[in-house]
Amino acid sequence: MKTRERTTGNIIELEEVSKKYQLGEVCVTAVDNISLGIAPGEFVVVLGPSGSGKTTLLNLIGALDTASSGDICMDGKYITRMNRAERSRYRRETVSFVFQSFNLFPGLTALENVQFGVESAERKPNGGTAKEMLSRVGLEHRLHHFPHQLSGGEQQRVAIARALATGNPILLADEPTGELDFKTGIQILELLHEQSHSGRTVLIVTHNREIARVADRVVELSSGHIVRDGVPENHIAAIADLSW
Ligand SMILES: Nc1ncnc2c1ncn2[C@@H]1O[C@H](COP(=O)(O)OP(=O)(O)OP(=O)(O)O)[C@@H](O)[C@H]1O
Ligand SMILES: [Mg+2]
């Protein structure tokens, strides 16, 4: 019997992880034998073109999907060896998500969506109340709007406020600036960056090479493989100096 715990100092540890999808006769390898270790408090950008496996990788790390092979150890515990109940508890206690498609509840207002995130997370917010978080993403005037009454960028900011309002130690954000204009995008990146300064581990997925320049570390994917892992090319320290 394999041990269920491990100590490496990394909060995220992937060991030869693959994810294959079977579509009829065709097998798609979305994540192909990836090994990766991420230390607590790192601000990491996962970069890669459309279809390179970024969302699949994030879903595996967040225990929203199961690996076809390999092991994933999060915060010292192998999520790949957990049962459903343990995985569900891990999600509530350890990760906060910003989904590529936002996943807001259509019948809840912006404020209620963020409150729901706070209430369902095991660890209580360290960043302020739901209302304060919505104000930090510039939506203090949209608290009582339902998702269908919000623009794409506003919905994205509600999803970000929901993730920021929980106290879970790992923040996974899938294309968090994809719907935002440049100025709002910079503000959101600054907010996400601040999270890593306060000790959270932040993983941002993007296909935008400019955004990668402000990361501590860039993990670049192509066809499910890591093709580069290190400090970003042309690194810049100040997010305000970015342009795209
Ligand atoms: N549920 C699924 N069933 C079958 N194939 C899938 C499934 N999910 C993803 N794939 C395939 O796996 C590959 C990686 O998909 P993924 O969504 O991880 O890419 P991505 O890098 O996030 O792309 P994008 O930038 O467009 O969001 C793609 O070729 C995709 O078609
Ligand atoms: Mg994706």
Side-chain angles (χ1 to χ4, degrees), residues 50-51 53-56 100 174-175 205:
S50 181
K54 305 180 299 295
T55 296
T56 307
Q100 189 166 13
D174 200 348
E175 298 281 3
V205 157

Side-chain angles (χ1 to χ4, degrees), residues 1-239:
M1 165 94 186
K2 284 176 159 182
T3 168
R4 287 159 62 90
E5 301 203 7
R6 171 186 165 90
T7 329
T8 59
N10 285 328
I11 191 163
I12 301 174
E13 186 85 32
L14 279 76
E15 301 165 5
E16 299 179 359
V17 172
S18 294
K19 176 69 188 181
K20 296 177 197 292
Y21 294 108
Q22 193 70 41
L23 285 175
E25 300 281 286
V26 185
C27 178
V28 177
T29 305
V31 166
D32 196 355
N33 201 32
I34 284 188
S35 295
L36 177 69
I38 293 174
E42 272 194 287
F43 183 68
V44 179
V45 165
V46 178
L47 184 69
S50 181
S52 59
K54 305 180 299 295
T55 296
T56 307
L57 183 69
L58 223 57
N59 288 346
L60 292 173
I61 291 173
L64 290 170
D65 204 349
T66 49
S68 308
S69 59
D71 252 328
I72 303 174
C73 190
M74 301 291 295
D75 210 6
K77 297 198 175 58
Y78 281 104
I79 58 170
T80 32
R81 301 176 198 177
M82 290 177 176
N83 61 31
R84 285 189 87 84
E86 289 168 332
R87 287 162 64 83
S88 160
R89 185 178 175 82
Y90 154 79
R91 283 192 295 269
R92 284 199 313 276
E93 288 184 345
T94 315
V95 282
S96 303
F97 269 100
V98 180
F99 294 99
Q100 189 166 13
S101 48
F102 320 141
N103 292 7
L104 299 177
F105 294 103
L108 302 184
T109 64
L111 185 60
E112 287 165 346
N113 263 285
V114 178
Q115 278 165 342
F116 177 86
V118 176
E119 284 156 15
S120 57
E122 205 90 339
R123 306 200 198 192
K124 290 306 154 201
N126 51 8
T129 63
K131 208 168 162 182
E132 282 162 6
M133 290 323 299
L134 278 164
S135 157
R136 292 194 72 190
V137 298
L139 288 180
E140 59 282 353
H141 59 308
R142 293 283 185 270
L143 300 181
H144 305 298
H145 281 59
F146 290 93
H148 75 274
Q149 297 168 326
L150 298 169
S151 72
E154 287 171 338
Q155 290 179 47
Q156 183 153 47
R157 283 183 281 158
V158 174
I160 290 161
R162 182 172 63 183
L164 294 182
T166 66
N168 291 345
I170 299 168
L171 179 60
L172 305 173
D174 200 348
E175 298 281 3
T177 60
E179 292 280 328
L180 305 179
D181 60 85
F182 170 69
K183 190 164 155 261
T184 315
I186 292 286
Q187 286 164 359
I188 293 299
L189 275 180
E190 278 175 338
L191 268 175
L192 293 170
H193 198 217
E194 260 174 54
Q195 299 293 308
S196 73
H197 286 153
S198 60
R200 288 176 106 179
T201 307
V202 181
L203 242 78
I204 296 180
V205 157
T206 182
H207 59 265
N208 184 335
R209 211 160 262 285
E210 274 301 298
I211 289 178
R213 293 178 63 191
V214 295
D216 295 338
R217 174 174 170 193
V218 178
V219 175
E220 200 168 336
L221 295 186
S222 174
S223 306
H225 296 279
I226 295 180
V227 289
R228 207 180 94 79
D229 180 358
V231 281
E233 284 165 17
N234 309 315
H235 177 258
I236 49 172
I239 292 178

